[in-house]
Amino acid sequence: MIARLLILLCIALLGTPAGAAVNCSGKFPNPVTDICWSCMLPISIGSVRIGGGAQEDIPNPSNPLCSCGGNPILGLSIGFWEPARQVEVVRKPFCLVSMGGIDLNPGLPAAESARFARPGGSSNSFYQAHFYINTVMAWLQVITDFPCMEKAGFDLAYLTEVDPTWDDDELALILNPEVVLFANPVAVAACAADCAAATLGFGSSSLFWCAGCQGGLYPFSGEVPVHMGGVRTAELITERLTAKMHRELLAWGWHGRAGLCGPYVLPVMDKTAYKTQLIYPIPATEKFGGRCCQPFGRTTALWGAGKEFPVRGEDFTFLLFRKRNCCVGY
């Protein structure tokens, strides 16, 4: 009996092994207690930033005046970070963590999550992920007449369980054939510089194949070659799935001068246009350095400690704050 109890305790502490049953649990995000609203800051008019304190930002169009359309209407160039998308990383296929733990399984075969130990003590892992449209400001109706807010509500947009490229790195080459150019020591070593840049501010857009301290952004699949904790792995998969959405033209660019008059096609994701906030299982609402949102690629060692626990705390949900520049007409 004592031996069985020790075995069960070890399983609970080490996580759920491959092939074991995984329960589906979750929580719909509470907009009052789970979301760090200061992540929307700073607000900018042209290149002038208003408020925000320690909140980080990327460059904005320098001219405060703008115009759009064939019959130009003079307007103000506004910038802010809009909570607009959401990604959940799950162990059980078709488990909708963000919907309170609904098991949506329609009976289709899908790869289960797994963690494989390798000689030397390292391990790799695999997870499924879901991409949501979550324009929080729209469905809360906090601001009803501001033209720069996307009015799309809440919707499940993508399930990796029905995507054959998500659990097959060779098939994923269809979407990211350029990965063969970066499978070399020089390209991999460059990601160390991207990690340093993301930890101090934002990652480098020119190092588009890197996910900062999380490793390589390619391939666009759910297998992570080096598992170093659930939070870090979930952050990497969140970045990969967002990049995949851009490559499939399901996510567009909304920032910079090109975004003043509306979204534009951006097949290679600009990782500096996103900040993330963990909202499940433990919302990351505590501020580190005056902020609780993290740019893509920032090390999870600064904020991820204590955000994972066995069984019910091994699935993760991230709210994405997307950089938005907009021309607000008079």
Side-chain angles (χ1 to χ4, degrees), residues 235-251:
E235 178 81 18
L236 174 58
I237 290 180
T238 295
E239 296 168 20
R240 282 185 176 181
L241 184 58
T242 306
K244 182 182 178 71
M245 295 299 95
H246 275 271
R247 185 58 55 91
E248 296 181 0
L249 304 185
L250 297 176

Side-chain angles (χ1 to χ4, degrees), residues 19-31:
V22 178
N23 292 326
C24 180
S25 60
K27 175 188 174 185
F28 190 85
N30 186 324

Side-chain angles (χ1 to χ4, degrees), residues 150-233:
E150 185 182 4
K151 300 175 177 61
F154 186 90
D155 193 13
L156 175 60
Y158 201 89
L159 290 161
T160 58
E161 289 88 341
V162 296
D163 182 353
T165 69
W166 187 251
D167 61 352
D168 191 321
D169 290 350
E170 292 183 0
L171 280 179
L173 286 172
I174 297 173
L175 288 175
N176 49 258
E178 69 273 20
V179 68
V180 298
L181 300 176
F182 307 115
N184 60 78
V186 176
V188 173
C191 293
D194 190 49
C195 172
T199 300
L200 296 174
F202 287 87
S204 173
S205 298
S206 58
L207 300 176
F208 59 88
W209 64 91
C210 295
C213 301
Q214 278 72 59
L217 193 63
Y218 296 119
F220 298 155
S221 68
E223 183 174 351
V224 178
V226 180
H227 184 90
M228 296 180 63
V231 176
R232 175 189 177 274
T233 299

Side-chain angles (χ1 to χ4, degrees), residues 58-74:
I58 60 175
N60 295 281
S62 57
N63 194 339
L65 300 179
C66 56
S67 62
C68 294
N71 184 20
I73 299 176
L74 191 64

Side-chain angles (χ1 to χ4, degrees), residues 27-37 136 139-140 277 283 285:
K27 175 188 174 185
F28 190 85
N30 186 324
V32 177
T33 60
D34 297 346
I35 297 177
C36 189
W37 290 103
V136 185
W139 59 262
L140 284 178
Q277 185 213 342
T285 53

